[in-house]
Amino acid sequence: MIIGFGADLCDIRRIADALERFDARFPHRLFTEAERECCDARAGRAACYAKRFAAKEACAKALGLGINKGVGWQDIAVVNLPTGQPTLQLTGGAAARLAEITPPGMTARLHLTLSDEEPYAQALVLIDAGAC
């Protein structure tokens, strides 16, 4: 059963500009330490951050909320499985909202896909629930 779907498109140039203008303040406000370590280690730093920004927005939409409406930027984190596949880790308001929309007796699963093609980054988030 699908309980949420969200999509977001982000302009990589906008993220690159924010990284340049606000230095460390921008990534420290929006991204977890693990996300910052991952993106700062990449040659395509702005694209990495842009994909994660889009994922946070798409996830907030899938949860039926917006960022700063019960869900903080760092409540949603993009993490990678050992295979390299991206997935989402929810804490705080995002985790609470997921629990709220998950039907009783079911377990929610989050699915994430990320893509970028200069100058855009895209994320799609699907939340489904199944029997425990």
Side-chain angles (χ1 to χ4, degrees):
M1 158 193 300
I2 295 173
I3 59 174
F5 178 75
D8 194 68
L9 186 65
C10 178
D11 191 324
I12 296 168
R13 297 168 296 192
R14 182 175 154 228
I15 299 300
D17 182 55
L19 289 167
E20 185 176 319
R21 282 190 324 166
F22 301 111
D23 194 30
R25 288 181 302 158
F26 174 73
H28 276 83
R29 183 172 159 252
L30 276 66
F31 302 95
T32 65
E33 183 177 345
E35 288 175 308
R36 292 190 309 267
E37 287 175 4
C38 176
C39 291
D40 289 342
R42 300 209 178 173
R45 178 178 182 237
C48 183
Y49 276 119
K51 286 186 278 190
R52 280 155 179 73
F53 184 91
K56 291 170 186 279
E57 289 278 2
C59 184
K61 292 172 185 175
L63 291 168
L65 299 172
I67 295 291
N68 298 324
K69 294 184 181 172
V71 176
W73 286 106
Q74 293 194 26
D75 291 349
I76 302 168
V78 176
V79 296
N80 293 89
L81 299 175
T83 60
Q85 176 185 349
T87 189
L88 295 163
Q89 184 176 59
L90 306 184
T91 58
R97 176 63 179 167
L98 181 61
E100 183 181 314
I101 66 171
T102 302
M106 298 187 130
T107 300
R109 292 179 300 259
L110 292 102
H111 308 276
L112 169 66
T113 185
L114 300 172
S115 182
D116 68 286
E117 180 67 41
E118 286 283 345
Y120 300 107
Q122 178 185 37
L124 302 171
V125 173
L126 176 74
I127 306 172
D128 72 0
C132 295

